[in-house]
Amino acid sequence: MPSIFTRIINREIPGHIVAEDDHHIAFLDINPLVPGHTLVVPKLEVDYLFDLEDGAFCKLQLFSKKVADALEQAMPCLRIGVSVIGLEVPHCHIHLIPINSMDDMNFSRPKLNPTQDELTVIANRIRQILDPRS
Ligand code: 5GP
């Protein structure tokens, strides 16, 4: 069965997509730790990040860097925190989190539950920075 992220990639379920190329996608986490929490995902459905072959792993990091740069401009913060967990969704992904304190990276904390409209506003802001013509 395809992962929930593959279903977002295939547009079978909605996602607030901020960036995409042939091999990667980035979209907002539906239950963010902080506003702007973004997931960067390879389209190839591999569970464990470190099982990606070297080339795919490096390209995913470069794609993440581009998204992180835009995210930092869109969501003023001290920096973008990076985390890999993967205990919930078995399709590897990188969490990019706009942080102002260590606690912003605390995955044990209750998550936020933003409205679709709130997610749309943030996704548009990030997309605009990545592609000002969008
Ligand atoms: P992890 O697998 O790294 O432990 O966590 C998976 C992350 O994916 C969680 O932060 C969770 O909120 C997010 N997530 C789970 N299901 C969906 C979904 O259907 N859409 C989006 N955008 N995010 C999801």
Side-chain angles (χ1 to χ4, degrees), residues 6 9 22-24 41-47 51-53 56 91-92:
T6 293
I9 291 163
D22 287 348
H23 301 290
H24 315 94
V41 184
K43 291 188 176 177
L44 185 67
E45 197 175 312
V46 169
D47 177 1
D51 284 338
L52 286 174
E53 60 92 7
H91 183 159
C92 64

Side-chain angles (χ1 to χ4, degrees), residues 49-74:
L49 182 78
F50 296 121
D51 284 338
L52 286 174
E53 60 92 7
D54 290 0
F57 180 84
C58 292
K59 284 179 186 152
L60 179 68
Q61 300 298 333
L62 289 174
F63 186 82
S64 298
K65 182 174 186 233
K66 200 169 68 172
V67 176
D69 284 346
L71 184 55
E72 192 172 9
Q73 291 177 60

Side-chain angles (χ1 to χ4, degrees), residues 17-39:
I17 296 168
V18 299
E20 183 171 23
D21 68 12
D22 287 348
H23 301 290
H24 315 94
I25 194 164
F27 48 83
L28 297 181
D29 194 303
I30 203 167
N31 291 126
L33 284 174
V34 296
H37 182 165
T38 298
L39 304 175

Side-chain angles (χ1 to χ4, degrees), residues 4-5 27-30 39 85-89 93 95 111:
I4 193 94
F5 293 166
F27 48 83
L28 297 181
D29 194 303
I30 203 167
L39 304 175
I85 314 281
L87 292 175
E88 184 184 330
V89 178
H93 50 280
H95 295 257
K111 303 262 206 84

